[in-house]
Amino acid sequence: MSQFSMEPDNISTTRTILTHSPVVSGPWRDAWRAFQHNKMALIGLSVIVFFVIIALIAPWIAPFEYKEQNLVSRLQPPSAEHWFGTDDLGRDLLSRTLYGARISLWVGFLSVICSMIVGTALGLIAGFYGKWADMIISRLFDILLAFPGILLAIAIVAILGPSLENALYAIAIVNVPTYGRLVRSKVLSVKTEEYITSARALGANNARIILRYILPNSLTPIIVQGTLGIGTAIIEAAALGFLGLGAQPPEPEWGKMLSDSRQYIQNGPWTVIFPGISIMLTVLGFNLMGDGLRDVLDPRAKH
């Protein structure tokens, strides 16, 4: 009987423990909780999500085909039919701006991913192996950094030929040293830690040490820089498009739209306002989110 009489107490104790159990914690969960308390970072994330959704559903929400011309309706101001007005060829600016989000975000994300992969690989090799490998890779980075980024991108596109794909390659190449040097400096500090020495003592080879221990502990600055780098890549793509070295007609890239409309600023200011605002908001969103990630993931950045 005593055994049965204790059961309710055990059940209530178990319920109390479950009710007051601590919140599951972890570095990434803690970072997300801290990120949620940063209002500006959340605003940046909201802006990015908005433009990503717009880019994904552009074919379904665009009122007109982005390359459909109607010379009778050229340079029409914003109206009920054309919310953003029309350009010099009578094309609907709202539709072109929506499709432009697809191009700008595609270039931004893909160029940064390529830069991160190549730069991270070179930085890991330079920082971990050192000696001649570090010397060659570091000199390569120094050569690339000796030129202003946009001028080097212009030179690369001029050699490869004007196109959106070549502009993407140029932007990726220009930004490789940024990630490479960042990873190299992180590897130089991480590889002297005691757990790396312990891994060597246990017989772990270099590849396992790099992939299992060094790379995961070097991801924080890469993630922060990558987020900020997307905004920079979008600006660089817009600059190349403005110069006629990026997307080619009739592709509705925001920088190219600004270039095509610059002679109509007085007669049709809406032709430059909406693409310009789109570039500004997208880059601002990535910068705000990147600053928030830096505050959350980098303890030295916390005030």
Side-chain angles (χ1 to χ4, degrees), residues 17-298:
I17 294 174
L18 290 174
T19 304
H20 296 85
S21 59
V23 179
V24 178
S25 182
W28 293 107
R29 289 190 179 91
D30 293 341
W32 171 242
R33 294 191 189 99
F35 183 85
Q36 289 177 306
H37 289 86
N38 190 323
K39 294 182 179 179
M40 298 306 295
L42 289 178
I43 292 174
L45 178 60
S46 301
V47 172
I48 294 170
V49 170
F50 171 76
F51 277 100
V52 169
I53 293 175
I54 288 297
L56 292 175
I57 65 175
W60 292 276
I61 64 175
F64 298 91
E65 179 65 26
Y66 71 86
K67 54 186 177 182
E68 179 183 344
Q69 299 182 14
N70 184 3
L71 296 179
V72 177
S73 302
R74 64 188 303 268
L75 293 178
Q76 292 294 315
S79 62
E81 183 180 4
H82 301 283
W83 289 7
F84 285 7
T86 61
D87 63 7
D88 59 306
L89 296 176
R91 295 173 296 193
D92 182 67
L93 278 177
L94 174 58
S95 301
R96 292 181 63 78
T97 302
L98 294 176
Y99 274 93
R102 310 187 97 191
I103 296 176
S104 295
L105 290 175
W106 177 74
V107 172
F109 279 109
L110 198 56
S111 62
V112 166
I113 290 173
C114 293
S115 299
M116 289 175 62
I117 292 174
V118 177
T120 300
L122 293 176
L124 287 171
I125 294 172
F128 186 80
Y129 292 101
K131 298 181 181 179
W132 63 268
D134 186 17
M135 182 184 67
I136 294 175
I137 294 174
S138 295
R139 296 296 79 77
L140 175 63
F141 290 162
D142 291 339
I143 292 172
L144 293 175
L145 291 172
F147 301 93
I150 188 62
L151 293 182
L152 181 58
I154 291 173
I156 294 173
V157 176
I159 294 173
L160 298 177
S163 71
L164 185 62
E165 290 76 14
N166 291 338
L168 188 153
Y169 299 146
I171 295 170
I173 293 171
V174 166
N175 291 299
V176 163
T178 302
Y179 300 97
R181 297 185 71 173
L182 188 65
V183 173
R184 175 185 175 274
S185 62
K186 188 67 177 179
V187 171
L188 289 175
S189 62
V190 170
K191 74 175 186 178
T192 59
E193 297 290 339
E194 294 182 358
Y195 59 87
I196 302 296
T197 305
S198 301
R200 289 185 185 279
L202 293 173
N205 56 30
N206 290 339
R208 181 177 176 81
I209 291 174
I210 291 174
L211 297 176
R212 180 74 182 273
Y213 302 105
I214 292 182
L215 180 58
N217 287 284
S218 305
L219 287 177
T220 297
I222 301 175
I223 294 173
V224 174
Q225 183 59 42
T227 305
L228 295 170
I230 295 175
T232 303
I234 291 175
I235 293 179
E236 291 171 345
L240 292 174
F242 187 85
L243 296 173
L245 298 174
Q248 300 299 305
E251 294 297 324
E253 195 271 327
W254 289 336
K256 182 61 176 172
M257 291 172 65
L258 290 176
S259 176
D260 294 340
S261 303
R262 66 181 184 273
Q263 58 183 319
Y264 305 107
I265 293 179
Q266 292 184 344
N267 297 330
W270 56 87
T271 58
V272 296
I273 289 176
F274 294 110
I277 289 177
S278 299
I279 295 173
M280 181 197 71
L281 291 178
T282 305
V283 175
L284 179 63
F286 280 107
N287 287 342
L288 291 176
M289 192 177 76
D291 289 340
L293 287 175
R294 181 182 57 195
D295 294 340
V296 169
L297 298 177
D298 187 0

